[in-house]
Each structure stands twice: as C-alpha cells, then as structure tokens.
Amino acid sequence: IKKIAENSGAKVYFKRPMNLSTDKVTTQKVIVHCLDWFKKKNILINNVCCIYPTAIFTNANDLKNSFNLIKNKKWSFVIASKKYSTQIERAFRIINNKLLLVDKKKFLMNSQNFKDFYYDAGQFYWGTAKSWYAKNTILNNNSTIYELKKYQSIDINTHDDWKLALRLYKFNKDF
C-alpha cells in the first residue's frame, strides 16, 4: 500500500508497526499511534478524521460539513451514518432454517408508526484528539451523526459489495 501510495504521488510519513497491522486491531489504537507519532514530532493535533480506504464515494463537501459539527466542540465524535431503508422492527433471524421474529408485536404494526434508525456507514469518523485517546467507544452519548444519502456510501466488505460499488460508480460519475 505504501509503494502504491508513493507511486501515486502521496507522501507517506510513517509505517504502521506490525502489531497494529492485523485484522483484529481497532481503529482507535491506530489513530492513537498516529497521534503519538505526531506528538513526538511536536505537532499537536486537535481533530482527526479517519477515512477508510473503501470510502470511495466520500467527497470534500461531506468532509467539510461533518468537520463543522466537530469543530464547534459540542461533540466528541461525528460518525458518517445512513438511515436504514426499512424498518428494523420487522427484523427476523433464521436459526435452524426457521424464521424467528425479533419482536412479534411490532411485526404486525403499521410501518409508518416506526421511528428512524441509523447505522455506521463505515466511511469516516471525525473525533477530537482527546476523544480518540479516551478508552470509550466512538458511539457514545457525546457523538453525533453526519447522515449520508443511500447512494453516497457502500461499506465494502464482500465481493458483492465491491460489484455494487462499481455499478454505482459507473451509473453516477458525479462523485
């Protein structure tokens, strides 16, 4: 990744150590390592934006607008989020080939009576340096969301996600 980045014109200031390069390491540990690296260089950072490499539809306006939410010092984290496109109250699981409703009472309710629910879009997080150092989670009482539209993000975790992202990109080159 470092070679590809440098060949594309990026400046790479440091390599992440091996113990922070596994699938199990948390984003927070990686960000804290980065903050520590800058601190050793006497460069103090107030706010950090973690943008995942699969956030291919993230644009400058979304980053600027979401930064405005963190810079007012009201929030410790701003999370790129999306609204569920369907009512999660009607969710069910399949266990041993049988459908199990999460909430039988709500399954029979009119869907227009349900509240909106959101989820982490897996695109980017803004956080104050102090908050990244804290041992609490990104999703806490002092966090807020920056809502993305349906077509603005795909959390690329599978080959199907990648194929969908390619189709969406080809369909709408305005990103």
Side-chain angles (χ1 to χ4, degrees), residues 115-130:
K115 306 262 188 245
D116 291 332
F117 282 88
Y118 297 83
Y119 62 95
D120 177 354
Q123 303 300 293
F124 63 86
Y125 306 108
W126 277 105
T128 65
K130 180 181 176 183

Side-chain angles (χ1 to χ4, degrees), residues 1 5-6 52 62 70 74 84-85 99 102 108 114-115 123 140-141 147 152 160:
I1 293 171
E6 289 172 334
Y52 288 111
D62 289 328
I70 196 85
K74 182 177 179 183
Y84 279 101
S85 60
L99 294 176
V102 172
L108 299 174
F114 295 142
K115 306 262 188 245
Q123 303 300 293
N140 64 52
N141 290 338
E147 187 176 350
Q152 282 186 283
D160 282 346

Side-chain angles (χ1 to χ4, degrees), residues 26 28-29 32 76-77 128-143:
T26 65
Q28 184 176 17
K29 286 182 180 178
V32 166
S76 59
F77 286 103
T128 65
K130 180 181 176 183
S131 297
W132 284 109
Y133 276 111
K135 297 296 180 203
N136 60 356
T137 174
I138 291 171
L139 295 169
N140 64 52
N141 290 338
N142 204 27
S143 299

Side-chain angles (χ1 to χ4, degrees), residues 76-112:
S76 59
F77 286 103
V78 175
I79 300 130
S81 302
K82 288 174 47 177
K83 189 184 308 182
Y84 279 101
S85 60
T86 190
Q87 293 73 32
I88 63 172
E89 292 89 349
R90 291 204 171 149
F92 55 88
R93 298 175 63 201
I94 300 174
I95 300 176
N96 297 326
N97 292 324
K98 293 181 182 176
L99 294 176
L100 294 173
L101 297 172
V102 172
D103 188 334
K104 289 180 185 179
K105 291 178 187 173
K106 289 188 178 177
F107 194 81
L108 299 174
M109 290 175 63
N110 290 332
S111 61
Q112 57 267 42

Side-chain angles (χ1 to χ4, degrees), residues 9-26:
K11 291 183 181 177
V12 178
Y13 295 97
F14 61 88
K15 268 180 74 170
R16 200 181 327 168
M18 290 301 292
N19 67 320
L20 295 178
S21 300
T22 68
D23 289 343
K24 303 224 186 276
V25 70
T26 65

Side-chain angles (χ1 to χ4, degrees), residues 143-157:
S143 299
T144 191
I145 69 164
Y146 180 80
E147 187 176 350
L148 300 172
K149 294 176 179 65
K150 288 180 187 181
Y151 61 85
Q152 282 186 283
S153 73
I154 296 176
D155 192 7
I156 302 175
N157 294 313

